[in-house]
Amino acid sequence: MNKQDKIRDLKGITGNKLPFVVPDSYFDDLPGRIQERLALSRKPHRKLSLPAFRPALAMAAIFIGLIAVGYAGFRILSQTGDDRYLSGEELDETMQYIAYDLDDDMLVSTLIESGISLSPPSADTRTEEIIQILSEEDLNYNDLINDY
Amino acid sequence: MRDYPQNIGLAELSDRELIHQFREGSNRNYAFNLIIRKYQERLYWHIRKMVISHDDTDDVLQNTFIKAFEGLDRFREDSSLFTWLYRIATNESLSFLKKKKGNLIQLGQNLKHLEKTLESDAYCSGDEIQMKLQKAIIRLPRKQRLVFNMKYFDEMKYEEISEILKTSVGALKASYHHALKKLEQYLAED
């Protein structure tokens, strides 16, 4: 018996049968599923055109740039990042505290404690000597006026 | 709204008339639907014998019909519609297997994958002899497997296979002979 005969014998046992099955109603549904795929592939794809998109992109970039510059400027001017400086708002709060919570006595005692001189600026030495003579000598101011 | 009596008439059209209706445009989708219904089962089993898994077969079959839809306007009708569809299905199956083999890098992994599918696929069930024959068939080289399936299961003439695979009848006979030789050897080993 040659090889072909042996395979033919096998065919006599198995026939043309294959050890495969298909899901129920597979062949009923397949044409519809293929048509669905075809319909999807036929839908026009909306292509994003860069030249058309470019002005909007440029406007957005300018807007973002302005916001960035404005914010950076505000941060620099307000110095919010530096503890050594008071912001405008903080300064205002401090002034209000001083105005409402410090009376005159507290202010005077604070000045004395601080050692700050309350005397007016001193006159020169010559002026002081003249004032001293005038206050100590018994002068007749009428005679002085008549002499001059 | 589709004209029902016209559709009944369309269902009875020959391949040539279906192609004409498809190309004319007015009944394009319906004509193609009829082509699918007419050939889906034969193409399904042809693909299934090559790729084994039902899910993979479903993918390959859908791709086959999509390609057919895209190419039907250019079909020159120098062969029958069935031969043309069969050729697309064959090429799609071979491409799929080649791609799968590329993914399963190690040599022999492709065979293991097909064996595993035969054993575990929910839609693979048959008696012991059928399974034994399939396990032997999947060990054949792809082209030999193709020729064996077409000759043994589909009982196609060498001339028909030659037209589909664009291979000479002599080469096909040699291929089938080698396939038989190897199958006998594989079956004797088990």
Side-chain angles (χ1 to χ4, degrees):
Chain A
M1 190 186 280
N2 64 28
K3 291 171 187 79
Q4 201 151 342
D5 289 337
K6 282 179 186 173
I7 299 293
R8 218 173 273 152
D9 280 352
L10 194 64
K11 196 173 185 178
I13 299 165
T14 63
N16 279 11
K17 282 185 180 173
L18 292 161
F20 307 134
V21 288
V22 286
D24 292 337
S25 72
Y26 171 74
F27 291 117
D28 294 332
D29 300 340
L30 185 67
R33 289 197 292 131
I34 292 170
Q35 292 289 356
E36 273 174 30
R37 268 189 68 181
L38 285 168
L40 278 174
S41 66
R42 278 197 295 262
K43 270 185 185 172
H45 294 283
R46 202 178 158 195
K47 218 173 178 180
L48 188 65
S49 169
L50 190 61
F53 183 61
R54 196 171 281 160
L57 189 69
M59 286 298 291
I62 291 167
F63 183 70
I64 291 166
L66 284 173
I67 287 174
V69 168
Y71 180 70
F74 171 76
R75 287 295 297 255
I76 290 165
L77 291 173
S78 63
Q79 296 286 346
T80 52
D82 195 338
D83 294 338
R84 294 173 301 173
Y85 296 93
L86 291 176
S87 69
E89 198 176 334
E90 286 167 337
L91 191 65
D92 192 39
E93 277 179 15
T94 309
M95 292 303 288
Q96 281 180 13
Y97 170 78
I98 290 166
Y100 285 101
D101 295 316
L102 284 180
D103 55 24
D104 290 347
D105 293 336
M106 280 176 72
L107 192 59
V108 170
S109 62
T110 305
L111 282 168
I112 290 165
E113 280 171 15
S114 68
I116 297 170
S117 172
L118 295 174
S119 306
S122 56
D124 58 56
T125 318
R126 179 77 184 148
T127 310
E128 281 181 0
E129 281 175 8
I130 291 168
I131 291 167
Q132 189 70 32
I133 291 163
L134 288 173
S135 61
E136 289 174 359
E137 294 289 330
D138 187 16
L139 294 173
N140 186 340
Y141 292 100
N142 290 324
D143 291 343
L144 281 172
I145 292 166
N146 290 329
D147 287 344
Y148 289 95
Chain B
M1 190 180 281
R2 199 181 290 146
D3 182 18
Y4 185 73
Q6 191 189 349
N7 290 344
I8 296 294
L10 205 59
E12 293 162 357
L13 294 174
S14 67
D15 284 351
R16 181 162 285 187
E17 287 165 324
L18 280 173
I19 293 165
H20 178 72
Q21 288 287 338
F22 177 86
R23 285 175 178 167
E24 209 177 48
S26 57
N27 284 313
R28 197 173 172 86
N29 282 346
Y30 189 68
F32 193 70
N33 222 35
L34 290 176
I35 292 170
I36 296 172
R37 289 196 180 278
K38 192 172 181 178
Y39 293 115
Q40 59 179 355
E41 285 201 46
R42 289 167 79 183
L43 294 176
Y44 174 89
W45 292 115
H46 172 58
I47 297 165
R48 182 77 190 265
K49 280 179 286 205
M50 289 302 290
V51 304
I52 307 297
S53 145
H54 164 73
D55 290 338
D56 292 342
T57 305
D58 182 43
D59 286 344
V60 175
L61 183 58
Q62 284 194 41
N63 291 342
T64 298
F65 279 117
I66 302 272
K67 290 225 166 137
F69 185 90
E70 288 165 351
L72 200 52
D73 284 324
R74 296 186 302 276
F75 174 48
R76 291 194 302 269
E77 294 181 65
D78 47 6
S79 64
S80 72
L81 179 62
F82 175 66
T83 301
W84 182 69
L85 290 170
Y86 215 94
R87 195 180 300 141
I88 297 172
T90 303
N91 291 337
E92 285 295 309
S93 304
L94 291 174
S95 300
F96 173 84
L97 289 172
K98 207 178 279 181
K99 206 187 285 176
K100 197 103 180 174
K101 197 181 175 184
N103 292 338
L104 303 165
I105 300 161
Q106 280 186 332
L107 206 66
Q109 251 189 315
N110 197 36
L111 175 65
K112 278 181 187 168
H113 172 77
L114 288 176
E115 276 178 353
K116 201 178 169 187
T117 306
L118 258 178
E119 286 162 2
S120 59
D121 194 296
Y123 300 108
C124 285
S125 67
D127 59 37
E128 198 184 337
I129 300 169
Q130 287 171 357
M131 289 299 268
K132 200 174 172 181
L133 179 61
Q134 279 303 317
K135 280 183 181 175
I137 292 169
I138 59 172
R139 291 172 72 181
L140 292 172
R142 282 199 304 267
K143 290 274 172 69
Q144 279 183 23
R145 188 144 67 96
L146 195 58
V147 175
F148 179 82
N149 283 336
M150 290 165 97
K151 188 77 188 140
Y152 183 86
F153 290 107
D154 300 344
E155 296 179 333
M156 293 172 85
K157 292 175 182 169
Y158 281 119
E159 287 73 20
E160 287 176 289
I161 302 172
S162 169
E163 204 181 348
I164 292 163
L165 300 182
K166 303 268 182 195
T167 309
S168 70
V169 171
L172 291 172
K173 282 181 178 173
S175 193
Y176 187 64
H177 175 76
H178 286 303
L180 287 176
K181 204 173 159 184
K182 282 180 189 167
L183 281 177
E184 198 221 18
Q185 191 187 323
Y186 297 152
L187 290 168
E189 281 172 11
D190 291 331

